[in-house]
């Protein structure tokens, strides 16, 4: 069981994570923190720790499939979940290894969507369908219409994405 982000990084390092992988996870974490900060302004109830821990371990499978650190591939997704479960990580956190990339084909929690969104925005990539799903879930939680929250969230997402090149230069 991991209880904070530092423990997550230490676990991954003990499992053989490269410095490059840890840096990537921290950069995605920067994007996640900006999203969480914006959502706090809406006073939405959510499990911040699931988002933070999910982001911190979402690419754990790249410890095994190291080639996927620099080329496309999805073998790291189930491998990461299995690796983390074997290491005693909570199932809802380990599941982020799958859901961060498969959010369209599986039922996912709001927190899992935020992990997926963080993993896109950190590098400057905007995914309209994913962003709209997050916006719709926020609107639902607030019992509002999509358009009541759209502009504010879209502005937040754009602000994060605009820093993508800078974050990529540190990866």
């Amino acid at each position: 069981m991991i209880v904070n982000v530092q423990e997550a990084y230490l676990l991954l390092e003990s499992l053989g994570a490269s410095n490059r992988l840890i840096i990537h996870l921290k950069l995605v974490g920067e994007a996640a923190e900006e999203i969480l900060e914006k959502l706090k302004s809406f006073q939405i109830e959510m499990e911040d720790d699931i988002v933070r821990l999910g982001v911190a371990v979402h690419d754990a499978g790249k410890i095994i499939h190291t080639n996927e650190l620099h080329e496309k591939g999805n073998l790291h997704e189930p491998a990461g979940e299995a690796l983390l479960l074997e290491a005693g990580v909570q199932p809802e956190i380990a599941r982020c290894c799958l859901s961060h990339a498969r959010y369209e084909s599986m039922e996912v929690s709001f927190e899992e969507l935020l992990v997926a969104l963080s993993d896109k925005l950190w590098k400057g990539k905007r995914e309209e369908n994913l962003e709209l799903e997050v916006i719709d879930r926020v609107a639902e939680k607030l019992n509002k219409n999509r358009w009541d929250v759209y502009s504010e969230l879209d502005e937040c997402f754009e602000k994060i994405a605009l820093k993508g090149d800078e974050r990529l230069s540190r990866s």
Side-chain angles (χ1 to χ4, degrees):
M1 185 166 147
I2 51 175
V3 297
N4 62 49
V5 172
Q6 284 310 108
E7 279 187 19
Y9 297 148
L10 289 172
L11 172 65
L12 294 178
E13 287 170 359
S14 77
L15 294 171
S18 67
N19 190 47
R20 181 176 179 174
L21 176 57
I22 299 296
I23 289 170
H24 164 68
L25 298 170
K26 289 179 178 181
L27 293 170
V28 177
E30 289 177 13
E33 286 302 326
E34 290 189 49
I35 294 169
L36 289 171
E37 184 178 322
K38 174 48 88 179
L39 292 177
K40 281 182 187 167
S41 74
F42 287 102
Q43 298 178 341
I44 293 176
E45 286 194 29
M46 63 183 155
E47 300 286 335
D48 295 15
D49 287 343
I50 291 177
V51 177
R52 287 184 179 103
L53 294 174
V55 164
V57 301
H58 75 278
D59 277 341
K62 291 182 179 183
I63 293 169
I64 297 165
H65 298 281
T66 55
N67 61 310
E68 292 185 15
L69 275 168
H70 54 273
E71 58 190 55
K72 288 190 182 281
N74 59 8
L75 296 176
H76 74 278
E77 297 158 10
E81 182 183 40
L83 181 67
L84 294 177
L85 289 172
E86 188 176 306
V89 172
Q90 306 91 304
E92 67 273 17
I93 304 301
R95 182 179 145 93
C96 291
C97 292
L98 288 175
S99 62
H100 83 276
R102 301 178 186 198
Y103 56 87
E104 291 179 301
S105 63
M106 57 191 283
E107 196 171 311
V108 295
S109 69
F110 180 63
E111 291 80 2
E112 288 172 298
L113 279 178
L114 297 179
V115 172
L117 182 58
S118 300
D119 193 40
K120 298 294 183 192
L121 291 176
W122 84 275
K123 60 187 170 191
K125 185 169 184 180
R126 302 283 310 260
E127 283 287 332
E128 183 180 13
N129 291 339
L130 175 57
E131 292 177 19
L132 289 175
E133 180 65 27
V134 169
I135 289 168
D136 287 343
R137 296 231 197 154
V138 168
E140 183 181 320
K141 286 176 176 289
L142 296 172
N143 202 24
K144 292 186 174 188
N145 180 290
R146 168 192 279 182
W147 304 111
D148 293 335
V149 297
Y150 178 89
S151 293
E152 206 171 332
L153 290 173
D154 183 63
E155 184 179 307
C156 170
F157 302 157
E158 180 65 13
K159 181 180 162 195
I160 297 167
L162 284 173
K163 296 181 206 165
D165 286 342
E166 185 276 326
R167 278 189 294 274
L168 281 168
S169 74
R170 293 187 282 137
S171 68

